[in-house]
Amino acid sequence: MKTIVITGASSGIGKATAIYFAQKGWNVAATMRKPEKETELNQLDNVKLFALDVTDSASIDKAYEEIKNEYKTIDVLFNNAGYCLFGPLELSTEKQIRDTMEVLLIGLMLVTKKFTSLIRENGGGTIINTSSVGGVLTLPMTPTYHAAKYAVEGLTEALSYELAPFNIDVKTIEPGGIKTDFWNRSFVMVDGVEGSPYEKEAGKALGGFLAPRDPENDNRALPEDVAAVVYEAATDGKHHWRYTVASQDFINFRNSMSDDDWYAMQVKNYKGE
């Protein structure tokens, strides 16, 4: 029976992927910061919960030892823990900036660094990183998120070369709009927008970003759709870097424009013109 390790498995894409792989007959090491609060995944026979906080090296080390003792080797590592800081860089605190990078990039790198040996000792496998449409194109008001996701894209490519001799593929999943509770659990807004030089544009952008969606017209993909693509990436045997989910049309639209034209359009939208 094959084994996958998933970070950020307590909700959304991570939980859906854990369930999907379990239904496909895989062992699932579902990691999260507070497994004691999980009430669904722990009911599945071939899913085991492990405490892992990607921002805590000691937590990563402990989870690694527990997972190694349980499974000996693993086939797939799915780096999925999420965080998004919304707002102007100038108004972001140092902690918010560091938290973004700790979760989305540094934590991902440390988990990968730690768990690669279990895939290598398995004779090969796959590392899958959750990127985003925001790792391919940029929009206003999420500069730190884009910075981290672009870095994940670069890391994926560069790491794939050095792991190729060990039969390990490194891939990214690039979701677009997905129906999850991401905005409630992993979304952080900078303080001080009101009364700042950014108030007019940032306030308008925030209002549009967080406006309630009409359930009847919400055409975002489901987390289960992402889980299916993660499974494809884990099992297709292809040396393929990028797998899109509900984002390819947007990426194609971006690629149809020059940098100058994209800039002009985004600035116009941001200003509400």
Side-chain angles (χ1 to χ4, degrees):
M1 186 180 291
K2 292 188 174 182
T3 301
I4 182 172
V5 174
I6 303 173
T7 66
S10 62
S11 65
I13 292 171
K15 175 175 278 190
T17 301
I19 295 170
Y20 193 97
F21 273 74
Q23 291 172 341
K24 292 291 186 178
W26 285 53
N27 288 320
V28 178
T31 78
M32 57 197 72
R33 286 181 297 173
K34 298 179 179 179
E36 66 276 7
K37 293 187 176 182
E38 176 57 41
T39 60
E40 183 177 2
L41 293 180
N42 56 358
Q43 302 301 312
L44 302 178
D45 290 339
N46 48 330
V47 177
K48 292 187 181 298
L49 307 185
F50 299 88
L52 192 157
D53 181 344
V54 301
T55 68
D56 183 340
S57 295
S59 173
I60 295 171
D61 291 346
K62 185 173 184 293
Y64 168 83
E65 293 298 335
E66 292 175 349
I67 290 170
K68 181 179 180 179
N69 289 337
E70 180 68 32
Y71 301 110
K72 310 307 178 188
T73 63
I74 65 173
D75 298 271
V76 175
L77 169 64
F78 180 36
N79 287 306
N80 176 68
Y83 182 97
C84 184
L85 175 63
F86 185 95
L89 179 64
E90 185 179 355
L91 301 181
S92 305
T93 67
E94 179 177 342
K95 183 180 185 305
Q96 288 172 330
I97 294 169
R98 291 187 180 278
D99 284 348
T100 301
M101 295 302 167
E102 287 285 348
V103 174
L104 296 181
L105 181 60
I106 297 173
L108 181 152
M109 294 175 75
L110 292 178
V111 170
T112 300
K113 177 181 183 296
K114 192 70 181 180
F115 281 84
T116 293
S117 63
L118 295 186
I119 305 177
R120 188 182 65 252
E121 291 164 10
N122 185 60
T126 309
I127 296 169
I128 302 172
N129 299 322
T130 299
S131 178
S132 166
V133 65
V136 183
L137 57 84
T138 56
L139 299 169
M141 302 307 297
T142 49
T144 54
Y145 180 81
H146 288 302
K149 291 301 187 181
Y150 267 64
V152 168
E153 297 274 341
L155 171 69
T156 297
E157 289 192 19
L159 187 60
S160 68
Y161 309 134
E162 63 193 62
L163 295 184
F166 306 112
N167 195 33
I168 299 174
D169 286 311
V170 190
K171 306 181 177 187
T172 60
I173 304 297
E174 297 171 343
I178 309 297
K179 295 179 183 178
T180 71
D181 61 351
F182 178 81
W183 300 118
N184 294 324
R185 298 173 63 95
S186 303
F187 175 89
V188 177
M189 176 63 187
V190 302
D191 294 323
V193 172
E194 187 175 351
S196 78
Y198 297 93
E199 179 177 11
K200 178 182 176 182
E201 288 80 12
K204 188 180 299 182
L206 177 62
F209 211 54
L210 299 182
R213 293 176 180 267
D214 179 359
E216 299 298 324
N217 296 299
D218 189 347
N219 59 358
R220 293 176 298 168
L222 298 171
E224 291 77 13
D225 298 325
V226 185
V229 176
V230 175
Y231 186 79
E232 176 189 354
T235 60
D236 65 7
K238 296 179 180 178
H239 306 296
H240 187 62
W241 279 328
R242 296 176 175 87
Y243 295 74
T244 59
V245 189
S247 60
Q248 191 60 55
D249 289 346
F250 197 17
I251 293 170
N252 292 342
F253 176 57
R254 167 63 184 96
N255 290 338
S256 72
M257 305 175 69
S258 69
D259 288 353
D260 290 349
D261 288 342
W262 182 261
Y263 168 81
M265 182 184 71
Q266 293 301 328
V267 169
K268 183 177 181 180
N269 290 342
Y270 180 56
K271 290 181 177 180
E273 295 175 353

